Amino acid sequence: MDSLKEDREDVKLLTAWVSPYGMRAMIGLAEKGIKYEYVEQNLRDKSPLLLQMNPIHKKVPVLIHNGNPISESLIVLQYIDNVWNSPHTAFLPSHPYDRAIALFWADFADKKVCFPGLETFRTKGEVQEAAKCEFLQNLAILEGELKGKNYFGGDRFGLVDIALTPFTSWFHAFESLGRFKIHLEEKFPNIWAWKKRCLERDSVKKTLPNPEKVLVTATEIRKRRLGEI
Ligand code: GS8
């Protein structure tokens, strides 16, 4: 039955290896055991397929399921969870209130931690300083939220964990290019332990790139953005 199901499914992922948002989709698909075609995108020269599949944002990731495109990584994750749903691999809790809370934290992580995190390496001056403050302050909120828990939702690896773990592979780039220290182990011990726990999962282990490699690409992105090359 399972192989029949796989034969009927046509799943493609348009992404870029360094994209933490794309990594979310990769971890989600791996957690569900879905086979898919990985289609690397050059974000400096966008393919006609990417522009056709995500004409509004023109960003990766885009999941293409049986020809139908789904974009925006948190929406992609919810789609994956809904389509390949099983009680053992659910990314979201079943109770409506618990679901709402998980979505709240995924949204918080997205807007208040991931975005300012990215701003720490690709901006300069006051904007960069403000991004560093915002990132560290909001990381502290997540540190509190993780207290006494293995994962953000409790004992199960779920949506918030998938949304956040990819960004930990960027922390080294944030620190080096932002010229600041996160002091994860000392100041954020719950997040430190959580990160190690997430990295033990096959889905995460095989998805997250080497932080040194991320730094090389992040350095190029910064130079291009700030007009330094
Ligand atoms: C963000 C995707 C994104 O920024 C999501 O999927 O959750 N809210 C979206 N993708 C970047 C690559 S990772 O930084 C991207 O595609 N950038 C191309 C561009 O901005 O032109």
Side-chain angles (χ1 to χ4, degrees):
M1 242 348 228
D2 271 347
S3 62
L4 263 181
K5 191 176 141 206
E6 270 168 19
D7 287 346
R8 283 203 309 269
E9 305 278 14
D10 177 14
V11 185
K12 287 190 182 66
L13 182 67
L14 311 187
T15 187
W17 70 269
V18 81
S19 166
Y21 300 102
M23 292 175 213
R24 288 174 171 173
M26 290 169 72
I27 295 171
L29 289 164
E31 284 289 329
K32 300 284 186 182
I34 306 304
K35 292 199 183 114
Y36 64 97
E37 185 187 341
Y38 176 101
V39 191
E40 177 76 13
Q41 299 295 301
N42 176 359
L43 297 178
R44 297 176 64 195
D45 181 16
K46 293 179 184 168
S47 68
L49 183 63
L50 175 61
L51 299 176
Q52 183 196 341
M53 292 291 148
N54 191 359
I56 307 290
H57 295 301
K58 306 176 177 65
K59 290 186 180 193
V60 294
V62 182
L63 182 75
I64 310 175
H65 184 206
N66 296 332
N68 299 316
I70 306 103
S71 55
E72 288 297 304
S73 58
L74 292 179
I75 296 172
V76 168
L77 285 175
Q78 290 172 71
Y79 180 82
I80 292 171
D81 201 28
N82 288 334
V83 171
W84 294 284
N85 76 337
S86 95
H88 305 294
T89 62
F91 300 161
L92 282 166
S94 53
H95 191 281
Y97 185 72
D98 297 337
R99 283 174 91 87
I101 294 301
L103 290 170
F104 170 86
W105 285 112
D107 181 66
F108 175 83
D110 204 43
K111 292 180 182 147
K112 302 289 186 184
V113 179
C114 303
F115 182 76
L118 292 171
E119 291 287 273
T120 64
F121 90 88
R122 61 189 182 191
T123 58
K124 58 184 178 184
E126 279 176 23
V127 178
Q128 187 177 37
E129 291 313 308
K132 286 188 234 176
C133 279
E134 192 182 354
F135 172 72
L136 291 173
Q137 271 172 11
N138 293 332
L139 205 59
I141 293 179
L142 291 182
E143 171 71 11
E145 184 53 26
L146 258 183
K147 193 168 177 224
K149 296 194 272 191
N150 282 338
Y151 298 107
F152 281 94
D155 284 334
R156 273 178 79 145
F157 181 77
L159 188 85
V160 185
D161 308 295
I162 303 176
L164 264 175
T165 27
F167 287 83
T168 62
S169 67
W170 275 77
F171 283 7
H172 177 51
F174 295 171
E175 291 184 314
S176 304
L177 299 172
R179 297 205 173 83
F180 74 119
K181 282 268 170 226
I182 300 172
H183 296 295
L184 198 65
E185 188 170 3
E186 300 79 21
K187 295 196 178 151
F188 304 96
N190 297 331
I191 297 180
W192 169 259
W194 163 86
K195 178 193 159 191
K196 284 210 297 195
R197 204 170 291 124
C198 291
L199 270 169
E200 282 163 13
R201 298 182 79 82
D202 283 344
S203 64
V204 177
K205 213 185 301 175
K206 71 179 186 191
T207 299
L208 264 47
N210 178 336
E212 289 296 342
K213 245 184 98 187
V214 172
L215 173 60
V216 172
T217 302
T219 307
E220 289 164 8
I221 296 172
R222 176 178 170 84
K223 283 183 181 162
R224 264 200 311 276
R225 279 232 175 187
L226 300 178
E228 289 168 6
I229 45 172

